[in-house]
């Protein structure tokens, strides 16, 4: 019997698998497809990302350094309100490559990572979990002390464990123009109901256009309008769900959820790579597979680590829906150099932010 069955080899699952294996636990990870594919993510991350990957992976994953964002209340030609630092705030990275690196690190730590294996059922018993897995050689049942649902926004594990859904699932769509662009700024358009559209220069990897909105907002038509407004042409498109608003409970008797399965995302951007890996570290640190009571420690630990920023992030998102005149005044007042960390809205109240504003 394994200590942990992890479902999903995205950033959250692989990060957890690595930590649990390093702690001496027997870990198997099932990934339904090929690790990292299909792509459904911008891979726009704060520099903290580099603390989670081996140093040697930087050059392969790095695409472009971003110094800030230019906010717009209209289309491509509308007035830009820049928010920036004098040093890079974030990087555009190769997201498929990131997943592969993280899964490789988990394997090196001793986890058994099996791609091409789809988990189709999870049953919790008093002393174990029984997980049904369909692989290239047929269907098998694997037993473990605990199951970890790191299987993304539409988590099957969440359903099987009877855990509540996230508050919202937004529909995100991306497309890529292959023309290289190494500019310093992403463009953010507050033209989408309750969210935004974006343009990310990705260096030699081209330019990414994207947006996210509630289902029913005719996302494909809005995406076409964005791309044509920039006079661009995209040759690859993809889409995915973005969960917002973690449920009250992400643990059951012998199971826990991680990453998008638990909606551990930034409500004001939908970004979840760093939050999911932060929660994975909380789980690997606190959960003893032989002692289900430690699942409560994980609930506390990840909410302590991320809860405040998620709550503040939800408030930041509300500004996307303010009346235009108020948005115009707010953006005019606050644009310029900033000291904010892109993953931590709580840094809006930091000394660094105060210094940046006073120094303008
Ligand atoms: C359009 C878009 C743009 C985004 N841009 C950013 C960004 O720039 N920065 C950022 O930080 N975040 C971004 N995100 C969010 C980010 O992609 C997610 O937060 C992140 O991928 C969550 O990681 P995860 O490991 O929890 O889940 P995932 O990365 O979704 O991994 C889950 C894995 O589980 C596997 N799986 C699912 N079901 C099963 C099953 N039954 N059996 C076996 N395996 C299964 C899947 O194949 C997948 O590999 C974006 C999301 C979207 C949709």
């Amino acid at each position: 019997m394994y200590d942990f069955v992890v479902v999903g080899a995205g950033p959250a699952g692989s990060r957890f698998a690595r930590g649990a294996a390093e702690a001496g636990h027997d870990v198997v990870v099932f990934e339904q497809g090929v690790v990292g594919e299909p792509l459904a993510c911008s891979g726009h991350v704060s520099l903290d990302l580099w603390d989670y990957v081996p140093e040697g992976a930087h050059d392969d994953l790095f695409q472009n350094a971003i110094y800030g964002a230019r906010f717009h209340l209209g289309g491509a030609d509308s007035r830009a309100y820049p928010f920036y630092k004098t040093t890079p705030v974030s990087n555009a990275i190769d997201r498929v490559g990131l997943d592969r690196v993280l899964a490789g690190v988990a394997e090196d730590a001793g986890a058994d990572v099996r791609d091409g294996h789809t988990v189709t059922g999870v049953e919790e018993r008093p002393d174990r979990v029984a997980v049904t897995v369909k692989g290239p050689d047929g269907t098998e049942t694997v037993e473990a002390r605990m199951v970890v649902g790191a299987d993304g926004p539409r988590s099957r594990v969440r359903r099987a464990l009877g855990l509540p859904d996230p508050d919202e699932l937004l529909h995100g769509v991306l497309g890529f123009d292959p023309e290289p662009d190494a500019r310093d700024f992403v463009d953010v358009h507050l033209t989408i109901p309750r969210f935004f559209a974006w343009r990310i220069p990705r260096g030699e990897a081209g330019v990414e256009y994207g947006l996210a909105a509630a289902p029913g907002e005719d996302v494909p038509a809005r995406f076409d309008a964005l791309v044509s407004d920039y006079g661009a042409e995209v040759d690859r498109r993809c889409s995915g769900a973005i969960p917002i608003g973690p449920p009250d409970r992400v643990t059951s008797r012998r199971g826990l959820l991680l990453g998008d399965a638990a909606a551990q995302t930034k409500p004001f951007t939908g970004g979840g790579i760093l939050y999911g890996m932060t929660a994975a570290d909380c789980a690997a640190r606190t959960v003893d597979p032989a002692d289900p009571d430690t699942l409560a420690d994980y609930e506390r630990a990840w909410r302590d680590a991320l809860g405040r920023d998620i709550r503040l992030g939800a408030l930041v998102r509300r500004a996307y829906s303010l009346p235009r005149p108020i948005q115009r005044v707010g953006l005019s007042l606050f644009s310029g150099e900033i000291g904010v960390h892109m993953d931590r809205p709580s840094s809006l109240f930091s000394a660094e932010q105060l210094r940046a504003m006073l120094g303008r």
Side-chain angles (χ1 to χ4, degrees), residues 167 186 203 229 235 268 336:
D167 294 342
V186 298
D229 188 32
D235 66 356
F268 61 110

Side-chain angles (χ1 to χ4, degrees), residues 8 10-12 31-32 40-44 95 117 119 150-151 259-260 271-273:
E31 167 53 49
Q32 65 186 359
C41 175
S42 305
H44 176 225
R95 169 62 206 271
H117 284 75
V119 168
D151 51 342
D260 274 17
I273 297 173

Side-chain angles (χ1 to χ4, degrees), residues 18-232:
R18 173 203 183 156
E22 282 176 350
H25 300 306
D26 246 353
V27 184
V28 62
V29 184
F30 293 118
E31 167 53 49
Q32 65 186 359
V34 172
V35 172
E37 297 178 23
L39 173 72
C41 175
S42 305
H44 176 225
V45 286
S46 71
L47 305 187
D48 292 1
L49 187 272
W50 303 115
D51 296 339
Y52 291 81
V53 295
E55 228 173 88
H58 177 277
D59 291 357
D60 288 336
L61 298 180
F62 173 86
Q63 292 177 336
N64 195 24
I66 306 292
Y67 287 70
R70 301 189 311 180
F71 282 80
H72 304 258
L73 295 174
D77 293 330
S78 65
R79 177 177 169 187
Y81 300 86
F83 290 70
Y84 61 90
K85 287 188 179 180
T86 51
T87 54
V89 176
S90 56
N91 287 167
I93 59 153
D94 169 1
R95 169 62 206 271
V96 173
L98 173 69
D99 283 23
R100 290 187 184 146
V101 166
L102 294 170
V105 172
E107 277 185 316
D108 292 346
D112 179 2
V113 181
R114 299 193 210 163
D115 60 11
H117 284 75
T118 304
V119 168
T120 56
V122 177
E123 203 187 308
E124 272 186 300
R125 299 184 184 147
D127 61 338
R128 65 190 65 197
V129 288
V131 175
T132 311
V133 193
K134 208 169 148 206
D137 302 324
T139 299
E140 60 178 320
T141 299
V142 175
E143 292 189 328
R145 292 181 206 283
M146 285 193 186
V147 62
V148 176
D151 51 342
R154 301 188 192 281
S155 171
R156 186 191 283 255
V157 176
R158 186 172 67 220
R159 225 176 315 133
L161 298 180
L163 290 169
D165 287 334
D167 294 342
E168 275 180 90
L169 270 191
L170 302 180
H171 176 188
V173 56
L174 304 176
F176 298 90
D177 176 346
E179 193 64 33
D181 185 340
R183 269 177 268 188
D184 297 341
F185 280 79
V186 298
D187 287 283
V188 174
H189 297 269
L190 299 180
T191 50
I192 307 294
R194 302 183 60 231
F195 219 70
F196 57 86
W198 62 86
R199 177 189 188 278
I200 303 178
R202 311 191 70 94
E204 287 302 311
V207 178
E208 175 195 310
Y209 296 89
L211 66 87
E217 287 291 349
D218 202 354
V219 168
R222 288 180 183 276
F223 180 75
D224 289 342
L226 171 75
V227 173
S228 91
D229 188 32
Y230 270 98

